[in-house]
Each structure stands twice: as C-alpha cells, then as structure tokens.
Amino acid sequence: MREEDQLQQPLTPEELMQELRFKATELLLREEWQESVQVYTQFINLCRDQISDKSHQNHPDPDLLTKLKKSLCLALSNRAEALSRLRDLTEALKDCDQALKIESTHFKSLVCKGKILLSLNRYSMALDCFKTAILDPQASGNLETLNGYVQKCKKLEFQSRTGAFDLSDWILSRFRGKSPELAEYTGPVQIKRSELSGRGLFATKNIDAGTLLLVTKAIATERGILSSEDSGENAQLVMWKNFVDKVVDSATKCERTHHLISTLSSGEDEDKLEAPEMSLFRPEAEGIGELNEKLDKVRILSVLDVNSLVEDSVSAKVFGRNSDYYGVGLWILASFINHSCNPNARRLHVGDHMLVHASRDVKAGEEITFAYFDVLSPLSKRKEMSEAWGFHCSCRRCKFEEEMCSKQEVKELEIGLERGIDVGSAIFRLEEGMRRWMVRGKGKGYMRASFWAAYSEAYGSEKSMRRWGRRIPAVDVVVDSVAEAVGCDERVLKVFMQTFKGNGLSVVDMEKSLKLGRGVHGKVVKKQQALRSLLDLGTHDA
C-alpha cells in the first residue's frame, strides 16, 4: 500500500457537507437541474442527520445548530428552485414550506414559493409571499422584479375574481409580442348530469351573448406545422406522442393535475361518474390531499382520446402567432362541455389559455354546448360527422329536423342543391314550405342553418339577389334567426358584413354587427375599435 493512501483519511461529515454544497451550487448555476436536485438531496439528508446528532448531545452547541439549520434552509430553497424548473411543483412547494418552518421570513424561499403559487394560479397566496419578501433587506437589489410580481398577482387575482378581461390593446397591436398573461376564471357554471351525454356544464343564471363563462389554462399543449403531403400524418402522430408524454409528466409531478385528470371520462361507464364540485376547479382551491390511486397511463391515453381538443376548430378562434400552427391540448373544465347542433358557446385560444363565452343568450339551467363539427350543415351531413366522432346527436335541433326532413319537399331540395339548382329558387321554396308547415321561432333558424350554404351563396351573388332579392328574406332577418338558433358564427357574421360592403353601415346595422361580433369573439374585446378591427380582418379573410 502506498504511503499517500495510508495517510488519506475519510472525510468528516462537515467536510463532506462542504464538498456537496459546492458541487450542488455549481450544478445549480449551470442549470443542470436534475443533477443539482440529486446532490442537494444528499446534502439535505446529511445535514438533517447532523442536526439530529448534535441535538441529542449532552451539551449541544446552539451556534452550531443554528448554522446547520441555516444551511438546511438554504439547501431546501435551492432544491425547490431546481424542482420548480423541472415543473415538479408539488415537491418544490413542500421544500419551500419546510425551509419556511426553519426561518419564516427566509427571502429566497418566499420568492421561490411565490413563483410556484403563481404558476399554480393561487394568486392571493403568491401575493402574500412577495409582499413579505419585499420587507426583507435583501429585497433592495430586487425591488423592481418583486414589485413586478406584486402587480402581476394583483392583476391576475382581480381577473380571477371578477372575470374582467380585455384583449383590446393586444388586438389593436395586430397581436404583436407575447400573448397577454391571463388568470384562470370560473364564471356562472356548474357540472351536472346531462341529457345529451354523461356529465355537462350548465349555466347557473341567465347569460347574455358574449359573456365570459370560463378561462382555463391547458394541462399541456403540442403545436406544429403540418404539411399537406403524406408526412403530415406522420408529423401528427409524433405530435400526439409528445403531447401524451407532456400530460403524463405533468400528472406525475403535480398531485392537483393528477386529481383533475382523474375527474375526466375515459369513455366508459359515463353514467357511474359523479359530477365534481366546482370548488375543485377554482384557482385558489386548497390542496386536495394525496390520491390513493397510482398514475394509470393506459387510462390517461383513453382520457386524452375522449377529452383533448384541437385549437383550430369550427367553434374556435386562435388569436396570435399560434394561429399559424396545428395545436392540440387538454383543458380540464372545458372537457365537460358536450356537443350540440344548436350550440351556445364558442372558444378563443390565447397562448395556452382557452376562453369560453356564450355565443347566444343562455337561460339559467341550460347546458353549455360547443359545436364539435360544422353545424351549418343539413341533418344528413351532421349525422355522418357525429358518427365519425363516435356518438349519436339527440339535441333539440336534430329531433326537430328529423321530423322536417321526412317531408318530401325537403328531401328534393337537398338533392336539387347537390345537383346544382339555382340557390335563390331553393331558398324561396324552403321559405314557402316553412310558411305552409307553420314553422316558427327557432325552428326557422334551425332550417336556415341547415341550408346556410345556399343562403350564403345567394346573398353573395349579385345575379341571385337581382332575381330573388325581393322574394326571399332580407339578410339581416336570416342572420338574426340563425344566430339565435345556433349561436353566432364567423361565417354568418362575414355574410352580414359583406352585404353592406361599399355601401357603408347604418348606425343600427353597425350595432347589430358589433353584437354579432361579441357573440363570435366574446366580451373580452371591450373597445369597439378593437372589435371593429376583428370584423374588418374577418371580412378581408372571406
């Protein structure tokens, strides 16, 4: 044995702690989060052992114990920082709480905890952390950053409490820069058993068109550009795998996320599932405790098959740079919204947030519904699309049209339009038929929505309007009835706007276009100038 080996002595606990501290700090500074967590864990375990040993001595050294506890507090705070960067928010929050038990006003732990709570949408609790941190002398060099966090918490807490959102300035800037920061918000809705399917979301009071119903952030999203070639399908499969991995990772690292996902349907035994309390979805909800069940990846796959949503949809509008991409995501509360062919809600996508608003007036107790597919289509086409989605639609409109479409004249009209008969003639015959059949109110809106392609083509053709203009209803009459029956739709709004192209809108018509615009884009666009710019964009896109 060599002399230097004989002389080499094992490290004392103090020396080992010093070595681990230096190594962990270096890894943290190099942003090697996983490795730093591992080394900090070694240090924390050793530090706790030392505190326990020293505490049980006959004459413990209080100064040494204080020093060890300070070292433990800082290590817990640093490990929390690394864990939060890895999005392991549950464990990060536990570390912050343990550090603050040692030192209740520990600056770094307060800031770290505030940032974690902010990302968990617990705005009031995050605000308390930042306010306390500002009082620390260490805050003097970080006042601007901390004040920024304080203002952000106040703004998001106000949004979450009141539902007062306004995207106007971002829209007027033509969506420049990052998408605006939004709070999560739950409006006048609740989850109950649904006559349509399983469980659904219902209005708890009368709601005007455009009113915000909820704002929710995705558990995970995946976006990409899909080509029209064969590789597009392969790219979509890769995106789906990445999306599933993100959801599983998020559920693994956050008990709350795991619990929320566990409330969703996997497509089986719908009737046996309970309707969860709305308090579970509110941003400031307290911890839900640990789940007894383990993470079931097979069930999560089934849940995603049933509940994931594509951003670019007939009932949705994507604002900002994400509009250039194909995007898929999981938004928990929105997953409870069923399909109807006479929907009353639409959604906006802003960053990773989904904003759901009423697309027409909704009565208290009425179920909130989306259009999963194009409802401005005849019953036969909608049946085909619902089958592709794997369900049979039995909404009020479908039941009404089952009876109407049994009439020979309606069948002949559908066949005639497929064969290219004059659209003005078809509309005239349909309107005359509805008059004879005593169709009233929403019934007219349903039928006009089913034959919307013909109405749209007729109103957009000078030739048709010259021949049939005085014999078919005015465009505003049809637009009003369709919007009342199946909610506002961007295509309906475009037809209304294009009718007045070049002639200018009267005050009454402008007010009507703004009302329709609020049904399409919601009341989160407060400034008329911003809403008008969206209407102009929509007209140019047509």
Side-chain angles (χ1 to χ4, degrees), residues 243-262:
F243 170 57
V244 171
D245 289 344
K246 285 181 179 180
V247 173
V248 170
D249 185 59
S250 183
T252 302
K253 291 177 176 176
C254 182
E255 289 172 5
R256 178 173 169 77
T257 299
H258 182 190
H259 186 79
L260 290 172
I261 291 174
S262 74

Side-chain angles (χ1 to χ4, degrees), residues 31-49:
E31 299 186 359
E32 295 180 25
W33 311 119
Q34 192 64 58
E35 293 79 3
S36 71
V37 167
Q38 292 170 359
V39 180
Y40 270 121
T41 299
Q42 289 179 273
F43 177 87
I44 288 166
N45 291 338
L46 185 56
C47 193
R48 281 175 170 155
D49 289 343

Side-chain angles (χ1 to χ4, degrees), residues 140-152:
S140 58
N142 302 277
L143 273 180
E144 188 177 344
T145 301
L146 287 172
N147 280 323
Y149 278 124
V150 166
Q151 294 309 313
K152 181 178 178 179

Side-chain angles (χ1 to χ4, degrees), residues 250-530:
S250 183
T252 302
K253 291 177 176 176
C254 182
E255 289 172 5
R256 178 173 169 77
T257 299
H258 182 190
H259 186 79
L260 290 172
I261 291 174
S262 74
T263 66
L264 298 179
S265 167
S266 62
E268 297 178 359
D269 299 325
E270 278 277 355
D271 295 334
K272 296 179 182 178
L273 296 174
E274 294 182 1
E277 292 292 330
M278 291 306 299
S279 58
L280 180 66
F281 304 94
R282 301 197 187 282
E284 295 288 352
E286 292 297 327
I288 46 83
E290 294 187 12
L291 282 175
N292 295 323
E293 61 188 54
K294 289 185 177 180
L295 190 71
D296 185 341
K297 293 183 181 179
V298 174
R299 186 179 186 279
I300 283 184
L301 276 172
S302 299
V303 165
L304 294 180
D305 279 337
V306 175
N307 296 282
S308 59
L309 290 170
V310 173
E311 288 180 318
D312 186 15
S313 160
V314 70
S315 62
K317 182 75 175 177
V318 183
F319 279 172
R321 65 183 65 179
N322 287 343
S323 60
D324 297 329
Y325 300 91
Y326 170 87
V328 63
L330 177 65
W331 292 267
I332 297 288
L333 192 51
S335 298
F336 288 93
I337 301 178
N338 286 314
H339 165 84
S340 173
C341 292
N342 59 320
N344 54 23
R346 289 181 60 83
R347 50 192 166 100
L348 300 177
H349 289 275
V350 177
D352 286 342
H353 285 82
M354 178 195 293
L355 297 82
V356 178
H357 66 269
S359 60
R360 58 177 172 82
D361 293 345
V362 179
K363 293 180 180 178
E366 187 178 343
E367 183 169 359
I368 304 301
T369 53
F370 282 146
Y372 285 11
F373 46 77
D374 187 6
V375 295
L376 296 183
S377 307
L379 178 63
S380 57
K381 298 289 185 188
R382 300 202 311 274
K383 279 185 174 180
E384 290 175 12
M385 289 185 280
S386 67
E387 285 173 11
W389 273 79
F391 66 88
H392 172 73
C393 185
S394 56
C395 70
R396 186 178 301 175
R397 176 184 171 191
C398 285
K399 289 175 180 176
F400 170 80
E401 288 186 36
E402 287 278 4
E403 183 181 342
M404 295 302 299
C405 291
S406 64
K407 297 181 184 296
Q408 187 62 32
E409 286 179 69
V410 176
K411 292 178 181 176
E412 289 174 0
L413 275 177
E414 282 194 48
I415 294 169
L417 285 168
E418 286 177 1
R419 293 177 177 174
I421 65 166
D422 182 80
V423 288
S425 170
I427 292 171
F428 177 76
R429 287 167 60 189
L430 176 64
E431 292 288 340
E432 282 296 299
M434 288 195 291
R435 183 179 61 78
R436 291 196 312 274
W437 305 322
M438 305 287 285
V439 176
R440 299 282 184 269
K442 282 193 175 180
K444 279 189 175 182
Y446 293 155
M447 295 302 292
R448 287 165 173 168
S450 287
F451 288 89
W452 176 253
Y455 284 93
S456 178
E457 185 180 338
Y459 291 132
S461 165
E462 290 184 14
K463 182 180 177 182
S464 285
M465 292 309 290
R466 276 198 301 269
R467 182 177 179 186
W468 297 100
R470 293 185 179 182
R471 302 167 71 185
I472 62 175
V475 65
D476 58 330
V477 172
V478 172
V479 163
D480 278 348
S481 70
V482 170
E484 185 184 349
V486 300
C488 295
D489 184 284
E490 208 163 7
R491 292 163 295 175
V492 176
L493 176 58
K494 284 177 182 178
V495 166
F496 181 77
M497 295 294 291
Q498 286 182 327
T499 304
F500 301 97
K501 200 173 181 180
N503 302 322
L505 288 169
S506 68
V507 174
V508 173
D509 290 330
M510 177 53 77
E511 281 301 314
K512 184 172 287 188
S513 68
L514 292 174
K515 182 180 178 182
L516 291 168
R518 281 188 284 272
V520 173
H521 302 296
K523 291 182 180 178
V524 292
V525 187
K526 306 286 187 192
K527 296 178 182 177
Q528 284 198 5
Q529 185 183 356

